Amino acid sequence: KLIDDIYKNYEKKKNHQLEIKINGVAENNESVNQFLTKEYERLKYHQKLGFIYAYHDRDYAGKFFLIDGQQRLTTLFLILLFLYKKLDKTGAFRSLYFSSKIPKVNYKVREGSNDFLQLLIESELKGENYENSEKFYKSECSKDVTISHLITNYNYIKKQISNIRDKAAFLEYIEDFVEVNYFDTHLSEQGEQLYIYMNSRGEQLSFQEIVRAELMQKITNQQKKIELGNEWEKWQNFFWVNRGENENADIGFE
């Protein structure tokens, strides 16, 4: 749905024509035309993806720990990865979307999922198949819900975007016209309430999502954060597998 929504707006932008006139006379200055056309397009055809919520950790300056928005940011990151690869601009992708040789999006408290994400990104940038890597453990990865979703979603992204003729124009749209609203909760009382009632999906957060965020904030030791993340992930996966007729794992988990 996210990809379809973005593509529909991209198509609208691509197919429109704008004529700029001053007192009924067409503007002949090409630079003025290009600038005003771009600003108009940004106002009319931008794609808003709702709120992204995160908090800071004093021990990790310059990093944002997501509470809500992981799926949207991961999807956008994988779309960018595929487009830069197809346009043979892998060096530019590393320059823009890596920090200290590490992708700017990672799952630090989900060790197995994070390892696979790094493997997927590096394999794509090098033009290799991650399944041929000695770091890919198929039996283990198949048991991880997040990894399974990453594989399924990236294959879907490749299939859908491969059909787009002008990939450079689509890349420009993703980078210049897709936007999110960022809210730093600081896990304050105000932040929690805004997060709960202004959630971009229009749904109230599950109780366990709030508890997990509060616990993560209180732990200062990085290794303990990873241990908590792994334990949390293990139980989430257990209740997902055993969800029965439930839509998700929340009822069992809580």
Side-chain angles (χ1 to χ4, degrees), residues 55 67 187-188 191-193 195-197 199 203-218 232 236 250 253-254:
Y55 66 89
I67 300 174
L187 291 184
S188 64
E192 288 176 7
Q193 291 303 314
Y195 177 35
I196 291 170
Y197 295 112
N199 186 275
E203 301 173 359
Q204 198 174 73
L205 281 181
S206 65
F207 177 71
Q208 54 104 348
E209 288 179 299
I210 299 171
V211 172
R212 180 180 182 275
E214 290 178 340
L215 290 174
M216 282 293 183
Q217 172 72 352
K218 291 175 181 177
W232 207 278
Q236 279 185 324
D250 291 345
F253 194 91
E254 290 174 8

Side-chain angles (χ1 to χ4, degrees), residues 3 26 42 82 96 135 148 174 181 189 228 248 250-251:
I3 296 173
R42 280 179 177 152
F82 182 68
L96 287 168
K135 296 179 181 179
S148 297
I174 294 292
N181 294 103
E189 183 178 352
L228 171 62
N248 53 49
D250 291 345
I251 294 175

